[in-house]
Amino acid sequence: MSILQQFDLSGKTALVTGCKRGIGRAMATALAEAGADIIGVSASLELSGSSVGEEVEALGRSFRAYQCDLSNRRNVYELLDQLKGDSVVPDILVNNAGTILRQPAAEHSDEYWDTVINTNLNAPFILTREIGREMVQRGYGKIIFTASLLTFQGGILVPGYAASKGAIGSLVKAFANEWAAKNVNVNAIAPGYIATDNTEALREDQERSKSILARIPAGRWGEPNDFKGITVFLASDAARYVHGTVINVDGGWMGR
């Protein structure tokens, strides 16, 4: 098999959470460009006629949409029941959906903490455990988490987010340690400072934005399309010997 053939995802089905916009949308369209059919999950995703769905279908791939509030555990299990009832069998799972709530640590409420931990950690754990179990049984699967620079750092005003993303780094390793021998690859991508909804407040703060850009060797905010290549790589046979790794896509931030 040639190297380019190893990146071909034809015949595969990828489930992508948080696919309506930003990084998740770029991930979904990239996987479709590589040949995969897409199962899209988002709290506010239109069940028909979504722009991401239309983009995927324009690439000649199928798109099926599901709505799910990932901060609600009951909804997560209802999603799993829906997928099973619709005979959806993902070959690729992308745990991308996430949220961030900013509040000083001394004022960080239980409600903020629970919402962030449920969305960013509990939901992807449950989805990975349930969908990954079937991958292990079949002897094939690719699982990709969206981590963060705060997988490695503490951040400011985001204790819940930092805790959730720090835990994702360890969770990836825990799953990989058990499933690598079963031909199921579990890895993560850690975005740097990317121009998305989650960073809008930072980008609008001129002083903070200037200090951030001064530390990024690439000299710019990242863009969602910067995640297309790494997503296809980790979802493909080209990454068959890559397990338990968190790959930074950060313009060189962590290198500083």
Side-chain angles (χ1 to χ4, degrees), residues 182-256:
K182 308 296 184 181
N183 200 34
V184 175
N185 299 75
V186 185
N187 294 288
I189 301 168
Y193 286 91
I194 313 301
T196 65
D197 292 349
N198 277 355
T199 61
E200 184 176 2
L202 292 177
R203 287 181 286 116
E204 290 180 349
D205 183 331
Q206 292 187 2
E207 184 175 335
R208 188 82 193 279
S209 180
K210 182 179 179 180
S211 68
I212 288 169
L213 285 172
R215 180 173 165 168
I216 300 173
R220 67 172 176 87
W221 287 79
E223 301 172 357
N225 283 348
D226 291 322
F227 294 84
K228 285 189 167 185
I230 190 63
T231 301
V232 172
F233 168 64
L234 289 176
S236 75
D237 286 340
R240 62 187 178 275
Y241 200 60
V242 180
H243 295 278
T245 297
V246 180
I247 299 177
N248 300 325
V249 180
D250 62 356
W253 176 281
M254 290 301 295
R256 289 288 292 268

Side-chain angles (χ1 to χ4, degrees), residues 65-209:
Y66 291 85
Q67 289 182 348
C68 182
D69 176 3
L70 294 172
S71 70
N72 185 310
R73 183 170 298 194
R74 180 189 300 175
N75 286 359
V76 175
Y77 281 106
E78 288 173 350
L79 169 65
L80 289 165
D81 287 341
Q82 282 185 287
L83 295 171
K84 185 175 181 179
D86 292 342
S87 300
V88 173
V89 182
D91 304 288
I92 301 158
L93 169 62
V94 182
N95 288 306
N96 169 72
T99 190
I100 187 168
L101 294 173
R102 292 181 169 83
Q103 202 169 44
E107 303 165 17
H108 205 76
S109 67
D110 290 350
E111 290 76 16
Y112 271 32
W113 177 271
D114 289 344
T115 297
V116 172
I117 294 298
N118 285 335
T119 304
N120 295 3
L121 181 60
N122 293 342
F125 168 72
I126 293 168
L127 292 175
T128 299
R129 183 189 64 201
E130 298 301 311
I131 294 173
R133 181 188 298 120
E134 297 180 357
M135 291 177 173
V136 169
Q137 292 170 352
R138 295 196 307 271
Y140 181 86
K142 306 287 184 178
I143 300 174
I144 304 167
F145 287 77
T146 296
S148 168
L149 291 182
L150 299 197
T151 299
F152 314 101
Q153 301 175 330
I156 300 171
L157 305 179
V158 287
Y161 185 83
S164 70
K165 292 302 184 177
I168 287 297
S170 293
L171 188 60
V172 164
K173 296 176 178 66
F175 276 122
N177 288 343
E178 295 191 36
W179 292 354
K182 308 296 184 181
N183 200 34
V184 175
N185 299 75
V186 185
N187 294 288
I189 301 168
Y193 286 91
I194 313 301
T196 65
D197 292 349
N198 277 355
T199 61
E200 184 176 2
L202 292 177
R203 287 181 286 116
E204 290 180 349
D205 183 331
Q206 292 187 2
E207 184 175 335
R208 188 82 193 279
S209 180

